[in-house]
Amino acid sequence: MTENKKTWRTSGALIAAATAGAFGVGLFASPAQAHTPEWEVTCSQVSLDLTNYGSKADNTVNVTVDGKDLLPTETFQREFHKKLELPEHSKELTVRLVVKAGDGDQYSRDDTKTAPVCEGAPKPSVSPKPTPSVSSPSSAATPSSAPSTAASSAAAVPSSKPGADSGDLAETGSSSATPVIAGAAAVVIVAGAGLVWATRKRRGSAQG
C-alpha cells in the first residue's frame, strides 16, 4: 500500500512537471507567433497581410512610394489584408511599409523594399543635347554698315569743282568747222551767180 502511494506521488509529480513545461512552452511560443507583418512587392502591386495583432489597442499601417502616400495611414485591429496597385513606372520604385502596434513599439515595423520595372514598360526618353550655335563665316566676312554709310554720305555731297563738260552743248555730229564750210559754200554760190549774170549780160550786149 505504501509503495502504491509512492508510485502515485511520483506519477503526479511527473504529470505536473510536464504540464508546467508545456504551459511554459506555450507562453514562450505565443509572442513568437504574434504580430506577423507579411508583405510582398512586385513590379505592379503591393500585397499586405498583417495578422496576429492585438485587438485591445488600435494599430496603424502606412505605405509610401518614393516618399508619396500609396496607402494613407489606416487603423486596424487584429488583421489587415489589402492589395495596392503601383503606378506605371520606367525606373525602380522605393516602397516603404510602416506598421505601428498599439500594444508596444517592440511590435512595430518599418521596412523598405524595391519595386522592379515590369517587362515591356516604356523606357525613359532621353532628350537630345542642344547643339551649340556656330557663327556663319559669311556673317563674319560681311563688311560693317558704317563704311558704306560714310561712302554714300560722301557721294551725296556735291563737288565744288565744275565738271569738265559743263557749258558745252551736247554733241550732234557737227564739229567747230561746220560754220566755216557753210560760209565758203555761200561765197561760192554768190560768186557763181555773179558769173552767170555777167555772162548773160555780155551775150545780150553782143546781140544788140
Side-chain angles (χ1 to χ4, degrees):
M1 196 69 176
T2 304
E3 292 180 359
N4 290 335
K5 288 182 180 181
K6 290 182 179 180
T7 301
W8 279 108
R9 288 178 181 176
T10 303
S11 300
L14 292 175
I15 292 172
T19 302
F23 182 73
V25 171
L27 290 177
F28 285 106
S30 296
Q33 294 178 355
H35 305 87
T36 307
E38 293 184 359
W39 69 303
E40 183 180 0
V41 176
T42 65
C43 71
S44 60
Q45 68 178 6
V46 179
S47 300
L48 302 177
D49 292 298
L50 312 178
T51 57
N52 297 322
Y53 279 80
S55 59
K56 295 181 179 180
D58 291 337
N59 310 292
T60 61
V61 56
N62 172 249
V63 179
T64 59
V65 176
D66 287 346
K68 297 180 180 180
D69 281 339
L70 181 65
L71 174 67
T73 302
E74 289 192 17
T75 302
F76 69 97
Q77 293 182 349
R78 295 186 63 85
E79 297 183 358
F80 184 86
H81 304 278
K82 200 163 190 176
K83 291 186 178 181
L84 308 171
E85 296 295 328
L86 289 171
E88 293 185 1
H89 53 281
S90 56
K91 63 178 182 179
E92 293 183 346
L93 301 178
T94 300
V95 184
R96 181 185 179 189
L97 169 69
V98 177
V99 180
K100 292 185 178 181
D103 54 349
D105 290 338
Q106 67 272 23
Y107 303 120
S108 298
R109 180 77 174 270
D110 190 340
D111 198 4
T112 301
K113 293 185 179 182
T114 300
V117 178
C118 296
E119 294 183 1
K123 296 182 180 180
S125 59
V126 179
S127 58
K129 295 182 179 180
T131 304
S133 59
V134 180
S135 59
S136 174
S138 60
S139 62
T142 303
S144 172
S145 60
S148 62
T149 305
S152 61
S153 300
V157 177
S159 175
S160 61
K161 295 181 180 180
D165 56 348
S166 61
D168 292 342
L169 297 175
E171 295 184 0
T172 59
S174 61
S175 64
S176 60
T178 301
V180 178
I181 297 173
V187 173
V188 171
I189 292 172
V190 172
L195 291 174
V196 171
W197 179 77
T199 302
R200 288 181 177 178
K201 186 175 182 181
R202 287 177 184 177
R203 288 179 181 177
S205 297
Q207 290 177 359

